Amino acid sequence: MLGLEIVVVLGAIFLGARMGGIGIGYAGGIGVLILCLFFGLEPGSIPIDVILIIMSVIAAIAAMQVAGGLDYMVKIAENILRKNPKHITYLAPAVTYFMTLLAGTGHTAYSTLPVIAEVAKEQGIRPSRPLGIAVVASQIAITASPISAAVVFLSGILEPLGVGYIQLLAVCIPTTFVACMITAFVSNFLGKDLKDDSVYQERLKKGLVKLRGKSDIEIKKGAKLSVLIFILTIFSVVTYATLISKKVAIITDPSLPRNAAIMVFMLACATIISLACKVDTSKIISASTFKSGMSACVCVLGVAWLGTTFVGAHLGEIKDFASTLLNQYPWMLAVALFFASMLLYSQGATTKALMPAALALGVDPVTAVASFAAVSALFVLPTYPTLLAAVEMDDTGSTRIGKLVFNHPFMIPGVLAISLSVFFGFILGGIILS
């Protein structure tokens, strides 16, 4: 029966991957239905807090987008990239990393990908180099963002074990960023130079490659104010979470716990932006970030529910098999998280599905924090939206998916960046958390 259940779980995930987008969430629901009705499993816990945090954060980001705040951020990013075009391979991942760090979602990378591709072409740099690591950086930064659902959930289950919210960020932010920058250096040597790429030369002869030049983005009146309000809200969230943490305990027995605080702070942020920047709230639900975020909520609901249903039913067997293995080889947790996120397509869903079980097996907090970056292997299957967008934005043909499916320009940067993040995580985590 266990073998058949695994087939159902993997079948649902692969079906969802073929459907693409929100389909992974739909297929996850089918998997839960089959496991419960035909195999008699109890439904697992639904990641309600993770979903609600994503919804709240996206609500604020969508309000900021309608107010023109995202356009303003993209304009700043474009100016940075164009002032130092020769260093595009380093600046591109830095930009997408910090935009994700700030917003708590990798979907903000969409708006910068065309700029990255254009600047690279103008300099004769193979666009797949900066685009590959930029997409990967936007995914890994989720594990370092103060307001991402994955970070908030992990900090919640680690706090009883003596690891505070700020300690988690103190490990995750520097390790993931340094890993991305080292990977950016390596990316400079990946693939042929653009002038030597036969696909590029063929597309150039056919007139399929065009230089569009600097984009002309009109910045709305309330754009700067909306960004300021959003940044102040993030600062408030981090400050409040620190004050109520057990390590600091300036506010003891808070009436508003951290998860609820993030939700209401973000909804309050959306309200203030809408009022102060005179946002037409009817346009918010049509914003691209709102659509992407709500799609992500359905994906998390389906795949995380599928994961908790299966793991919860076999926690005893998993403990027997994994406890000895993880005690001997702690880094195997990172490997498990890597392959799980590859299939679950969500950092939040992977964290919710596997981290509680890992801690229940006796995995120590240092190992859990160090391995956390491995939940970002969303680049392995070339069907993730930001990955496909990068392929679409590059008209040189250098950012292409190979015939073997897995031989795409995101694989090497992704595996390397995650490996380095985990390696540095064990070092820095051992210093900060010990």
Side-chain angles (χ1 to χ4, degrees), residues 51-376:
I51 294 170
L52 293 180
I53 289 169
I54 294 173
M55 290 178 66
S56 303
V57 171
I58 289 298
I61 293 173
M64 181 175 66
Q65 181 182 12
V66 175
L70 278 186
D71 286 340
Y72 177 62
M73 291 171 65
V74 171
K75 192 72 174 178
I76 293 174
E78 182 172 8
N79 290 337
I80 293 172
L81 294 172
R82 289 191 177 280
K83 282 182 180 178
N84 304 276
K86 293 182 179 179
H87 304 298
I88 183 70
T89 310
Y90 298 100
L91 293 175
V95 165
T96 58
Y97 180 95
F98 283 107
M99 286 185 72
T100 299
L101 187 80
L102 178 67
T105 171
H107 294 299
T108 53
Y110 288 124
S111 50
T112 60
L113 295 179
V115 179
I116 294 169
E118 288 302 310
V119 173
K121 279 191 299 183
E122 290 169 8
Q123 295 300 310
I125 296 171
R126 185 181 180 89
S128 63
R129 293 170 178 172
L131 284 172
I133 181 56
V135 168
V136 168
S138 73
Q139 295 178 358
I140 291 180
I142 289 290
T143 60
S145 172
I147 57 174
S148 76
V151 167
V152 173
F153 177 80
L154 182 61
S155 67
I157 61 175
L158 286 177
E159 196 158 27
L161 301 177
V163 178
Y165 177 67
I166 295 300
Q167 287 178 297
L168 176 61
L169 293 176
V171 175
C172 293
I173 292 175
T175 54
T176 53
F177 181 70
V178 171
C180 287
M181 290 300 99
I182 294 174
T183 304
F185 171 76
V186 176
S187 295
N188 282 311
F189 305 98
L190 298 178
K192 296 179 180 178
D193 288 340
L194 193 59
K195 59 182 176 61
D196 299 323
D197 192 306
S198 59
V199 174
Y200 167 68
Q201 294 298 335
E202 185 179 342
R203 292 181 66 83
L204 195 62
K205 289 178 182 178
K206 293 180 179 178
L208 299 176
V209 181
K210 298 179 181 178
L211 292 176
R212 299 175 181 83
K214 191 172 182 179
S215 60
D216 185 21
I217 301 175
E218 183 181 348
I219 304 302
K220 295 181 181 179
K221 189 176 181 181
K224 295 180 182 180
L225 179 59
S226 69
V227 173
L228 177 62
I229 294 169
F230 190 79
I231 292 174
L232 289 175
T233 303
I234 294 174
F235 178 77
S236 300
V237 167
V238 174
T239 302
Y240 181 78
T242 303
L243 294 177
I244 67 173
S245 67
K246 292 181 180 179
K247 291 284 185 181
V248 178
I250 293 177
I251 300 176
T252 57
D253 193 23
S255 58
L256 191 62
R258 182 178 56 243
N259 288 10
I262 291 175
M263 296 174 204
V264 296
F265 271 61
M266 284 296 155
L267 292 176
C269 173
T271 303
I272 296 170
I273 289 175
S274 298
L275 293 174
C277 303
K278 299 179 181 178
V279 171
D280 182 355
T281 53
S282 65
K283 294 181 179 180
I284 291 177
I285 58 174
S286 300
S288 60
T289 51
F290 187 87
K291 293 177 180 178
S292 298
M294 294 309 111
S295 173
C297 286
V298 176
C299 292
V300 170
L301 171 62
V303 296
W305 199 5
L306 176 64
T308 57
T309 298
F310 177 77
V311 171
H314 300 285
L315 192 55
E317 297 100 307
I318 293 172
K319 282 184 178 181
D320 292 338
F321 173 76
S323 56
T324 304
L325 185 66
L326 290 176
N327 284 332
Q328 292 181 344
Y329 310 103
W331 52 268
M332 285 297 293
L333 175 61
V335 176
L337 293 173
F338 182 95
F339 283 103
S341 63
M342 178 183 83
L343 298 174
L344 296 180
Y345 258 38
S346 166
Q347 294 93 335
T350 305
T351 305
K352 174 73 175 179
L354 295 188
M355 276 300 194
L359 294 173
L361 293 172
V363 169
D364 65 278
V366 173
T367 298
V369 173
S371 303
F372 184 37
V375 302
S376 301

